[in-house]
Amino acid sequence: MFDFFSARRPSTLASQAMIATSHPLSTAAGLDILSTGGNAVDAAIAAVAVQCVVDPLMTGIGGDCFALYAPKDGPVKALNGSGRAPAAATVEALKAAGLTDEIPQTSPHAVTIPGAISAWCLLHKDHGSLPLDRHFARAIHYAENGYVVTPRVAQDWAANAASVGKDPHAAALFLPNGTAPKAGEHHAQPLLADRLRDIATKGAAGFYEGETAAKMAAHLQSLGGLHTEEDFNKGIDQAHWVDPISTPYGGYDVVECPPNGQGLAALVILRILSKFD
């Protein structure tokens, strides 16, 4: 029998659908979509859009996206929405920029053309069932009007404050009054609300084309990056479907996205564990 007085949480049971994220507002956004007739893809997009607002240390529209899609009938599909390097970022160009052993995390050369929005829009086009703007309603609301910082987010925020503080633009947004927000404090990102509106109304073009793309390219160039507006324009179609990889374990086929994702490591671990009882 489960000990309900322990610190552990009991199992969650459901008959039709279930959603889990690392933030209650993200989970609520996805559950709202499911309860109003949306499918799993609709719910996932709504949830991750909110996550980009309320848990900015973990994900964002400037990041990447990997996904597994399991239809009712047919094989599992893998989506690779990882970012690509600028066309001019050749080995010779990077060496000429003084990079010989590694690319530092804070270098503009560590920034790829973000793949997340391309992946979200491809997922929605191929398997979504609700209008795209419906998915972003809650995320836009929290970005514009603010949200309450949770204890775990506050902890991660404080741990990364020194890195954020090195960039004046990031510091102005993420270190109000010079410090990371504490648990229970209110934080808003109105500029992010504008970007999410662009995506909600224009799709991937709202991010990879026009003023937003031009500003991203110009800022990265000002830091020494090799990014061009054309690189961002081509980012619209960079997400693509690929065949997943899998391994049997415990009577199940465990499926992961293939490299360049990190899923291979999980399958290797399971193969090792399969040699033990």
Side-chain angles (χ1 to χ4, degrees):
M1 178 179 293
F2 185 84
D3 181 2
F4 290 98
F5 295 97
S6 72
R8 295 184 298 124
R9 289 179 294 182
S11 298
T12 300
L13 306 175
S15 61
Q16 294 180 307
M18 186 176 293
I19 180 168
T21 78
S22 63
H23 198 287
L25 293 181
S26 303
T27 300
L31 186 60
D32 173 59
I33 292 291
L34 291 175
S35 64
T36 54
N39 63 24
V41 165
D42 299 316
I45 296 172
V48 73
V50 169
Q51 192 83 10
C52 291
V53 178
V54 302
D55 198 359
L57 279 298
M58 289 296 151
T59 190
I61 62 174
D64 297 331
C65 170
F66 292 89
L68 292 169
Y69 177 78
K72 291 182 179 179
D73 300 305
V76 176
K77 300 164 60 177
L79 180 64
N80 186 325
S82 59
R84 298 179 183 177
T90 62
V91 173
E92 292 74 21
L94 294 177
K95 286 184 176 179
L99 301 173
T100 55
D101 297 324
E102 63 179 20
I103 299 178
Q105 184 178 4
T106 55
S107 166
H109 301 297
V111 180
T112 57
I113 306 303
I117 303 305
S118 176
W120 295 0
C121 291
L122 180 58
L123 265 173
H124 177 262
K125 179 177 73 72
D126 289 352
H127 300 292
S129 65
L130 298 179
L132 189 61
D133 58 356
R134 174 70 176 84
H135 301 66
F136 295 97
R138 286 201 180 202
I140 292 171
H141 170 77
Y142 293 132
E144 188 164 59
N145 300 297
Y147 57 95
V148 176
V149 178
T150 60
R152 175 56 199 265
V153 172
Q155 175 180 301
D156 294 333
W157 213 318
N160 289 274
S163 297
V164 173
K166 295 177 182 178
D167 182 271
H169 302 285
L173 177 60
F174 294 112
L175 300 179
N177 302 317
T179 60
K182 296 179 174 58
E185 292 185 353
H186 195 260
H187 186 260
Q189 299 189 55
L191 290 176
L192 179 56
D194 292 338
R195 301 292 74 76
L196 290 170
R197 279 196 188 90
D198 290 341
I199 299 165
T201 57
K202 303 175 185 177
F207 182 79
Y208 296 102
E209 295 180 349
E211 184 180 4
T212 296
K215 285 184 175 180
M216 289 191 288
H219 182 64
L220 287 163
Q221 289 171 12
S222 74
L223 299 175
L226 301 171
H227 311 70
T228 66
E229 193 171 345
E230 183 180 4
D231 289 323
F232 280 92
N233 296 164
K234 292 181 178 179
I236 290 179
D237 300 319
Q238 64 186 356
H240 57 286
W241 294 104
V242 295
D243 293 328
I245 54 177
S246 65
T247 188
Y249 183 80
Y252 294 92
D253 287 326
V254 182
V255 180
E256 287 279 4
C257 293
N260 57 342
Q262 299 176 357
L264 176 63
L267 301 186
V268 170
I269 292 170
L270 290 179
R271 291 295 293 269
I272 293 172
L273 291 176
S274 69
K275 303 300 181 182
F276 301 88
D277 64 8

